[in-house]
């Protein structure tokens, strides 16, 4: 990410173009979301809708004006997901090298990726049979790529300080593997979201920040996840699971709780709740894919749900472009309708067109 930013500094010798990097990354992210849903045999319209759901979340829009690397890490999780789906379908290991290069970029992006690639590695090792079909010495490629391209900064830290994750300490139980600054690791743990919401009682602050930065999306995820579990259990009990569906369900039911858990327990350095929401980006993007996939699986009864999703997209978009919010103002407020009736009239027009033609 820093290398790409450096290239954008070169034309004018300043950071005028620096913000363009995250524009490009989010653009690529929307394309990858589309490709993932197409691999899951979702229609074109709904596949692009998932990208729109991501785009109208304030936490993603906020990344456009920054040089923060979190959106690149979220893209890495998405690309890994896409490669896994392609590998399931191809039943070979031709995508081993691209997948490892993707993981190497993630590891080199920020320390947090060392934790966030763990769910990916679990699925990666379950696919060893596929990798072996194409690369007999797959493990050698694994060590070579992740141990060189993805670990440059960690090797540098190890050489200079004797600790690849310096300045943090690394412990295994009571055994100290790598020594860091005294007391720093304990302080970092105190900044984990789990510690803050349990020990400090900041549940309400976290929930308010999450709703402010995601809007209606948090509620969509909860509803969709319940529907997904119910549908999967019904198909398993009724013997109606189609070929390939089980792997998709398994990926969703594993990755979404995994990244939700990592978001809560991984130590962070940002003390403000609004800033911490950006660490949930991998979970949020995968959750939007799940929401759209659940709507697609509803079949002939999906029209009302598609209208609801379009309503969320337009409501949040029009709210963003028409209202200047204060720091403590709720993200959605019915009073906006009376303030900007012509803008929100477009919302109902769009919903009517979907009802008539979708």
């Amino acid at each position: 990410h820093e290398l790409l930013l450096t290239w954008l500094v070169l034309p004018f010798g300043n950071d005028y173009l620096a913000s363009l990097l995250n524009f490009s990354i989010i653009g690529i992210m929307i394309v990858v979301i589309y490709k993932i849903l197409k691999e899951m045999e979702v229609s074109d319209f709904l596949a692009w809708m998932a990208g729109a759901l991501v785009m109208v979340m304030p936490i993603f829009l906020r990344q456009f004006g920054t040089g923060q690397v979190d959106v690149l890490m979220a893209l890495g999780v998405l690309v890994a997901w896409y490669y896994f789906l392609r590998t399931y379908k191809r039943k070979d290991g031709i995508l081993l090298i691209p997948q490892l290069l993707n993981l190497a970029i993630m590891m080199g992006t920020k320390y947090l990726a060392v934790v966030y690639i763990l769910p990916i590695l679990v699925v990666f090792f379950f696919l060893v049979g596929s990798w072996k079909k194409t690369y007999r010495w797959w493990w050698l490629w694994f060590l070579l790529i992740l141990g060189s391209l993805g670990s440059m900064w960690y090797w540098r830290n190890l050489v200079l300080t004797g600790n690849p994750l310096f300045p943090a300490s690394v412990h295994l139980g009571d055994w100290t593997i790598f020594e860091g600054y005294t007391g720093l690791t304990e302080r970092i743990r105190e900044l984990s979201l789990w510690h803050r919401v349990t020990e400090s009682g900041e549940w309400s602050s976290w929930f308010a920040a999450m709703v402010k930065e995601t809007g209606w999306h948090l509620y969509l995820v909860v509803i969709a996840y319940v529907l997904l579990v119910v549908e999967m259990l019904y198909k398993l009990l009724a013997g109606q699971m189609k070929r390939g569906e089980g792997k998709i369900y398994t990926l969703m039911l594993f990755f979404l709780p995994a990244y939700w858990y990592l978001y809560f327990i991984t130590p962070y350095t940002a003390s403000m709740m609004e800033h911490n929401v950006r660490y949930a980006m991998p979970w949020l993007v995968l959750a939007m894919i799940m929401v759209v996939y659940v709507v697609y699986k509803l079949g002939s009864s999906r029209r009302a749900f598609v209208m609801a999703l379009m309503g969320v997209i337009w409501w949040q978009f029009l709210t963003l472009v028409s209202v200047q919010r204060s720091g403590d103002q709720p993200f959605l407020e019915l009073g906006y309708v009376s303030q900007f009736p012509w803008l929100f009239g477009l919302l109902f027009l769009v919903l009517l067109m979907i009802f008539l033609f979708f």
Side-chain angles (χ1 to χ4, degrees), residues 228-238 241:
L228 184 73
V229 173
V230 170
E231 183 189 29
M232 187 193 72
L233 292 176
Y234 170 77
K235 288 191 172 183
L236 284 174
L237 295 175
M241 189 73 72

PDB file of all heavy atoms in Angstrom, residues 228-238 241:
ATOM      1  N   LEU A 228     -30.250 -17.803   6.618  1.00  0.00           N
ATOM      2  CA  LEU A 228     -29.280 -18.714   6.013  1.00  0.00           C
ATOM      3  C   LEU A 228     -29.175 -20.010   6.813  1.00  0.00           C
ATOM      4  O   LEU A 228     -29.175 -21.114   6.238  1.00  0.00           O
ATOM      5  CB  LEU A 228     -27.912 -18.042   5.922  1.00  0.00           C
ATOM      6  CG  LEU A 228     -26.812 -18.840   5.221  1.00  0.00           C
ATOM      7  CD1 LEU A 228     -27.050 -18.859   3.723  1.00  0.00           C
ATOM      8  CD2 LEU A 228     -25.435 -18.248   5.521  1.00  0.00           C
ATOM      9  N   VAL A 229     -29.075 -19.904   8.127  1.00  0.00           N
ATOM     10  CA  VAL A 229     -28.978 -21.092   8.986  1.00  0.00           C
ATOM     11  C   VAL A 229     -30.238 -21.941   8.869  1.00  0.00           C
ATOM     12  O   VAL A 229     -30.173 -23.174   8.731  1.00  0.00           O
ATOM     13  CB  VAL A 229     -28.733 -20.684  10.451  1.00  0.00           C
ATOM     14  CG1 VAL A 229     -28.807 -21.899  11.369  1.00  0.00           C
ATOM     15  CG2 VAL A 229     -27.373 -20.005  10.595  1.00  0.00           C
ATOM     16  N   VAL A 230     -31.410 -21.289   8.892  1.00  0.00           N
ATOM     17  CA  VAL A 230     -32.678 -22.016   8.787  1.00  0.00           C
ATOM     18  C   VAL A 230     -32.767 -22.742   7.452  1.00  0.00           C
ATOM     19  O   VAL A 230     -33.159 -23.922   7.383  1.00  0.00           O
ATOM     20  CB  VAL A 230     -33.869 -21.058   8.974  1.00  0.00           C
ATOM     21  CG1 VAL A 230     -35.181 -21.755   8.619  1.00  0.00           C
ATOM     22  CG2 VAL A 230     -33.906 -20.527  10.396  1.00  0.00           C
ATOM     23  N   GLU A 231     -32.397 -22.052   6.366  1.00  0.00           N
ATOM     24  CA  GLU A 231     -32.476 -22.677   5.040  1.00  0.00           C
ATOM     25  C   GLU A 231     -31.513 -23.866   4.934  1.00  0.00           C
ATOM     26  O   GLU A 231     -31.863 -24.916   4.395  1.00  0.00           O
ATOM     27  CB  GLU A 231     -32.142 -21.652   3.956  1.00  0.00           C
ATOM     28  CG  GLU A 231     -32.280 -22.238   2.553  1.00  0.00           C
ATOM     29  CD  GLU A 231     -31.749 -21.300   1.486  1.00  0.00           C
ATOM     30  OE1 GLU A 231     -30.843 -20.515   1.782  1.00  0.00           O
ATOM     31  OE2 GLU A 231     -32.228 -21.391   0.348  1.00  0.00           O
ATOM     32  N   MET A 232     -30.301 -23.708   5.450  1.00  0.00           N
ATOM     33  CA  MET A 232     -29.326 -24.789   5.374  1.00  0.00           C
ATOM     34  C   MET A 232     -29.808 -26.014   6.154  1.00  0.00           C
ATOM     35  O   MET A 232     -29.725 -27.150   5.670  1.00  0.00           O
ATOM     36  CB  MET A 232     -27.976 -24.327   5.911  1.00  0.00           C
ATOM     37  CG  MET A 232     -26.874 -25.357   5.697  1.00  0.00           C
ATOM     38  SD  MET A 232     -25.372 -25.007   6.634  1.00  0.00           S
ATOM     39  CE  MET A 232     -25.936 -25.406   8.288  1.00  0.00           C
ATOM     40  N   LEU A 233     -30.328 -25.795   7.368  1.00  0.00           N
ATOM     41  CA  LEU A 233     -30.818 -26.910   8.169  1.00  0.00           C
ATOM     42  C   LEU A 233     -32.002 -27.594   7.491  1.00  0.00           C
ATOM     43  O   LEU A 233     -32.099 -28.835   7.485  1.00  0.00           O
ATOM     44  CB  LEU A 233     -31.229 -26.406   9.557  1.00  0.00           C
ATOM     45  CG  LEU A 233     -30.087 -25.925  10.462  1.00  0.00           C
ATOM     46  CD1 LEU A 233     -30.649 -25.359  11.765  1.00  0.00           C
ATOM     47  CD2 LEU A 233     -29.114 -27.065  10.755  1.00  0.00           C
ATOM     48  N   TYR A 234     -32.894 -26.806   6.899  1.00  0.00           N
ATOM     49  CA  TYR A 234     -34.045 -27.381   6.201  1.00  0.00           C
ATOM     50  C   TYR A 234     -33.602 -28.252   5.029  1.00  0.00           C
ATOM     51  O   TYR A 234     -34.103 -29.375   4.838  1.00  0.00           O
ATOM     52  CB  TYR A 234     -34.966 -26.263   5.712  1.00  0.00           C
ATOM     53  CG  TYR A 234     -36.056 -26.754   4.786  1.00  0.00           C
ATOM     54  CD1 TYR A 234     -37.180 -27.405   5.292  1.00  0.00           C
ATOM     55  CD2 TYR A 234     -35.955 -26.580   3.403  1.00  0.00           C
ATOM     56  CE1 TYR A 234     -38.182 -27.868   4.447  1.00  0.00           C
ATOM     57  CE2 TYR A 234     -36.953 -27.040   2.550  1.00  0.00           C
ATOM     58  CZ  TYR A 234     -38.053 -27.685   3.077  1.00  0.00           C
ATOM     59  OH  TYR A 234     -39.038 -28.145   2.237  1.00  0.00           O
ATOM     60  N   LYS A 235     -32.631 -27.754   4.242  1.00  0.00           N
ATOM     61  CA  LYS A 235     -32.178 -28.522   3.084  1.00  0.00           C
ATOM     62  C   LYS A 235     -31.439 -29.784   3.496  1.00  0.00           C
ATOM     63  O   LYS A 235     -31.532 -30.821   2.826  1.00  0.00           O
ATOM     64  CB  LYS A 235     -31.289 -27.653   2.193  1.00  0.00           C
ATOM     65  CG  LYS A 235     -32.069 -26.591   1.426  1.00  0.00           C
ATOM     66  CD  LYS A 235     -31.222 -25.929   0.367  1.00  0.00           C
ATOM     67  CE  LYS A 235     -32.072 -25.014  -0.500  1.00  0.00           C
ATOM     68  NZ  LYS A 235     -31.299 -24.401  -1.596  1.00  0.00           N
ATOM     69  N   LEU A 236     -30.690 -29.699   4.600  1.00  0.00           N
ATOM     70  CA  LEU A 236     -29.998 -30.889   5.084  1.00  0.00           C
ATOM     71  C   LEU A 236     -30.992 -31.945   5.559  1.00  0.00           C
ATOM     72  O   LEU A 236     -30.863 -33.135   5.226  1.00  0.00           O
ATOM     73  CB  LEU A 236     -29.055 -30.514   6.232  1.00  0.00           C
ATOM     74  CG  LEU A 236     -27.741 -29.823   5.856  1.00  0.00           C
ATOM     75  CD1 LEU A 236     -27.008 -29.386   7.113  1.00  0.00           C
ATOM     76  CD2 LEU A 236     -26.853 -30.756   5.027  1.00  0.00           C
ATOM     77  N   LEU A 237     -32.007 -31.528   6.321  1.00  0.00           N
ATOM     78  CA  LEU A 237     -32.983 -32.471   6.852  1.00  0.00           C
ATOM     79  C   LEU A 237     -33.891 -33.020   5.768  1.00  0.00           C
ATOM     80  O   LEU A 237     -34.288 -34.192   5.811  1.00  0.00           O
ATOM     81  CB  LEU A 237     -33.819 -31.788   7.943  1.00  0.00           C
ATOM     82  CG  LEU A 237     -33.051 -31.357   9.201  1.00  0.00           C
ATOM     83  CD1 LEU A 237     -33.968 -30.582  10.142  1.00  0.00           C
ATOM     84  CD2 LEU A 237     -32.458 -32.569   9.920  1.00  0.00           C
ATOM     85  N   ALA A 238     -34.197 -32.192   4.757  1.00  0.00           N
ATOM     86  CA  ALA A 238     -35.091 -32.624   3.681  1.00  0.00           C
ATOM     87  C   ALA A 238     -34.343 -33.271   2.523  1.00  0.00           C
ATOM     88  O   ALA A 238     -34.971 -33.741   1.563  1.00  0.00           O
ATOM     89  CB  ALA A 238     -35.899 -31.424   3.165  1.00  0.00           C
ATOM     90  N   MET A 241     -30.228 -30.464  -0.573  1.00  0.00           N
ATOM     91  CA  MET A 241     -29.008 -29.697  -0.800  1.00  0.00           C
ATOM     92  C   MET A 241     -28.454 -30.004  -2.198  1.00  0.00           C
ATOM     93  O   MET A 241     -28.180 -31.150  -2.531  1.00  0.00           O
ATOM     94  CB  MET A 241     -27.958 -30.046   0.248  1.00  0.00           C
ATOM     95  CG  MET A 241     -26.732 -29.146   0.216  1.00  0.00           C
ATOM     96  SD  MET A 241     -27.052 -27.496   0.871  1.00  0.00           S
ATOM     97  CE  MET A 241     -27.200 -27.840   2.626  1.00  0.00           C
TER      98      MET A 241
END
